[in-house]
Amino acid sequence: MHEDRVRFSAVGDIAFGDHPLCIGFGAYSKFKAQSARYPLEHVLPQLQKADVLFGNMECAITQNTLDPDDYDSVQMRGEARYIEGLVEAGFKVLNYANNHCMQHGEESYVETVRLMQKFNIEGCGVNTDKCMVGKPVYIETNGIKMLFLGYSLRPRQYFTHDPLYSEGNAVGMLNDIRTNKGNADVVIVSLHWGDEFIDRPSPEEIRVGRGLIDAGAHLIIGHHPHVVRGIERYKHGVIVYSL
């Protein structure tokens, strides 16, 4: 047990790019004429209260292969300058396992992860040595060691080959937790799961979340549905079904 405490906060999907249905009118277009802190400025005071701040990075921070005249090429991209806003907010860890992170190819994915590393933002959910990011990811704050694991449980999009991010399967996720939980005080699992705009978890998602707690996880952070879902206290842990 530790007498010290860590104030941990998390957000759901962070998307600095235009949505496929909002090209020219979405986040990317809106933010272009604004400062790097603009996307987060109204919530900065709340975010900055955290010792460790976590989120899911659901766009590529890259200009790689960009064709401004190609509809598919423009969507779901953010500018590198927005990382300054993430740093100001206090983000320490981001998840890179989701259905949009490899939308613009492997090189763009690797570039995004490496850019974040330059600003000392760690990344979970990465499943390749090319990115030079260890899996799992550990953060130690106030004497408490936190382990982060990230997985995408959504179908592959925009490609068919094996992704550079971690795809969750029942056996693999349980093994990762059981293998690494002895090295940390707190185990946090980030899951990109569920169906969009459905405001409650499915019976299968409840079973999966509880199974990860049974294996030794302390906190499950869900994202992808784009709506808030319930929070369940289960045994020694907490399952946040969607932020």
Side-chain angles (χ1 to χ4, degrees):
M1 297 293 292
H2 294 270
E3 294 182 0
D4 294 325
R5 296 289 184 268
V6 172
R7 181 172 180 133
F8 176 80
S9 294
V11 305
D13 300 323
I14 302 170
F16 291 135
D18 281 358
H19 184 277
L21 299 180
C22 300
I23 299 298
F25 302 94
Y28 177 81
S29 298
K30 176 70 174 178
F31 300 161
K32 284 186 72 172
Q34 307 293 340
S35 70
R37 77 198 312 261
Y38 176 79
L40 302 171
E41 65 182 5
H42 294 297
V43 291
L44 276 176
Q46 185 65 32
L47 297 178
Q48 290 171 338
K49 293 178 182 178
D51 298 310
V52 177
L53 181 60
F54 175 88
N56 173 59
M57 178 50 63
E58 195 161 10
C59 68
I61 306 296
T62 180
Q63 300 298 300
N64 181 51
T65 70
L66 173 63
D67 180 352
D69 298 319
D70 184 339
Y71 169 86
D72 293 325
S73 180
V74 171
Q75 58 188 256
M76 300 301 289
R77 291 179 183 266
E79 295 183 1
R81 65 191 182 94
Y82 295 134
I83 300 177
E84 298 174 19
L86 297 175
V87 172
E88 185 175 356
F91 282 93
K92 295 293 191 296
V93 188
L94 295 173
N95 174 67
Y96 299 110
N98 57 66
N99 58 306
H100 284 291
C101 60
M102 279 187 57
Q103 182 167 343
H104 297 294
E106 292 189 359
E107 290 184 8
S108 295
Y109 180 84
V110 172
E111 180 182 348
T112 300
V113 176
R114 285 180 171 166
L115 276 172
M116 296 296 179
Q117 283 184 301
K118 289 181 180 179
F119 288 86
N120 297 314
I121 299 176
E122 297 292 340
C124 69
V126 179
N127 193 26
T128 173
D129 291 336
K130 294 179 182 178
C131 294
M132 297 183 292
V133 174
K135 175 179 166 290
V137 170
Y138 293 94
I139 298 289
E140 187 167 348
T141 303
N142 297 343
I144 297 176
K145 195 172 187 179
M146 308 170 75
L147 161 64
F148 291 85
L149 296 164
Y151 306 94
S152 176
L153 307 186
R154 296 298 305 165
R156 297 175 186 178
Q157 290 180 256
Y158 313 106
F159 62 92
T160 56
H161 55 80
D162 290 341
L164 301 186
Y165 60 78
S166 299
E167 291 186 304
N169 63 70
V171 174
M173 291 189 296
L174 294 176
N175 285 343
D176 284 347
I177 293 171
R178 290 167 179 157
T179 299
N180 296 289
K181 65 182 181 181
N183 300 322
D185 301 301
V186 179
V187 178
I188 299 172
V189 181
S190 172
L191 295 182
H192 205 67
W193 64 352
D195 292 319
E196 292 183 349
F197 309 116
I198 303 300
D199 64 2
R200 63 197 63 192
S202 68
E204 174 64 11
E205 288 155 14
I206 294 172
R207 186 192 67 79
V208 169
R210 291 177 177 179
L212 298 179
I213 298 293
D214 288 335
H218 297 91
L219 175 61
I220 310 298
I221 299 175
H223 33 84
H224 176 70
H226 303 300
V227 291
V228 175
R229 291 181 171 181
I231 298 173
E232 177 184 16
R233 292 189 178 275
Y234 174 74
K235 294 184 177 179
H236 62 271
V238 175
I239 305 169
V240 180
Y241 283 100
S242 175
L243 292 176

